[in-house]
């Protein structure tokens, strides 16, 4: 009974997450998603996100690492909940498409005088021509019935729209067999 209860709980949490993603995406599409921007300490956001996703990474036997190539504490002006949601979606994908022993790198860097947050994995990757498909709501690169990864196809599209609401851009770089890096 305990195992059945756990299965029911996990299914309920999954369904709630799907519904929340659909509602958030709908609000954004309708222009009704309000950002509550404030000074946000990225170390706090990275830390709390890592705590949430650590069990999933451990179960997949994937290591999460954080490195900021920028010195000192870095604060941005953003909606902390939205940024955390973006990171959760990106890191969840990175873990999902990694194999045992892979490392998912999370961090921040300055590139060409532009501050960027990134999530980089060593997973299966995708062909560059598949990236637009991965960014479209409710679509997945592997749409076959025999695909090996669960999901609704909302993680990347929602992350993209949340980043755009902040005035940013979500950039995906990937190659089959070489992993994926997502910058925001």
């Amino acid at each position: 009974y305990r195992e059945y209860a756990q299965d029911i709980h996990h299914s309920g949490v999954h369904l709630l997450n799907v519904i929340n993603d659909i509602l958030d995406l709908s609000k954004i599409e309708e222009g009704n998603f309000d950002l509550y921007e404030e000074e946000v300490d990225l170390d706090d956001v990275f830390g709390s996100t890592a705590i949430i996703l650590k069990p999933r990474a451990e179960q997949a036997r994937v290591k999460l690492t954080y490195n900021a190539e920028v010195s000192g504490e870095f604060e941005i002006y953003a909606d902390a909940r939205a940024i955390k949601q973006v990171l959760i979606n990106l890191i969840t994908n990175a873990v999902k498409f990694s194999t045992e022993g892979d490392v998912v790198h999370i961090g921040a860097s300055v590139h060409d005088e532009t501050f960027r947050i990134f999530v980089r994995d060593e997973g299966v990757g995708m062909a560059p021509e598949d990236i637009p498909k991965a960014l479209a709501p409710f679509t997945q690169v592997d749409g076959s019935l025999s695909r090996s990864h669960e999901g609704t196809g909302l993680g990347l599209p929602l992350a993209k729209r949340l980043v755009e609401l902040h005035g940013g851009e979500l950039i995906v770089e990937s190659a089959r067999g070489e992993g994926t890096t997502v910058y925001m």
Side-chain angles (χ1 to χ4, degrees), residues 9-114:
H9 174 74
H10 291 300
S11 295
V13 168
H14 176 70
L15 182 58
L16 180 61
N17 289 335
V18 169
I19 291 168
N20 284 334
D21 284 351
I22 291 169
L23 290 173
D24 284 347
L25 195 56
S26 296
K27 285 180 188 176
I28 292 169
E29 302 271 326
E30 292 295 320
N32 294 326
F33 191 94
D34 296 321
L35 293 178
Y36 298 99
E37 295 178 305
E38 61 187 352
E39 289 289 326
V40 175
D41 182 336
L42 280 179
D43 283 335
D44 289 345
V45 173
F46 285 135
S48 62
T49 304
I51 288 170
I52 293 168
L53 296 174
K54 186 177 179 183
R56 182 176 294 196
E58 287 174 347
Q59 183 179 13
R61 295 195 169 118
V62 172
K63 182 179 178 184
L64 296 179
T65 66
Y66 165 69
N67 73 335
E69 297 168 10
V70 290
S71 59
E73 290 185 17
F74 198 87
E75 291 188 351
I76 61 171
Y77 192 74
D79 182 321
R81 186 193 72 80
I83 296 300
K84 186 185 284 187
Q85 183 63 49
V86 170
L87 286 170
I88 287 170
N89 289 358
L90 297 179
I91 296 167
T92 298
N93 277 355
V95 169
K96 183 188 328 182
F97 293 105
S98 292
T99 57
E100 186 176 321
D102 283 352
V103 179
V104 173
H105 307 275
I106 306 137
S109 64
V110 176
H111 180 74
D112 292 334
E113 298 185 24
T114 301

Side-chain angles (χ1 to χ4, degrees), residues 131-178:
I131 292 171
K133 185 176 181 180
L135 291 169
F138 301 107
T139 58
Q140 296 184 353
V141 173
D142 180 7
S144 69
L145 293 175
S146 63
R147 70 174 195 232
S148 58
H149 304 288
E150 67 175 36
T152 58
L154 289 173
L156 275 177
L158 181 56
K160 179 179 185 288
R161 284 173 177 76
L162 287 171
V163 169
E164 290 169 349
L165 277 177
H166 283 89
E169 180 181 14
L170 191 83
I171 300 167
V172 180
E173 297 176 353
S174 190
R176 286 201 188 278
E178 296 180 23

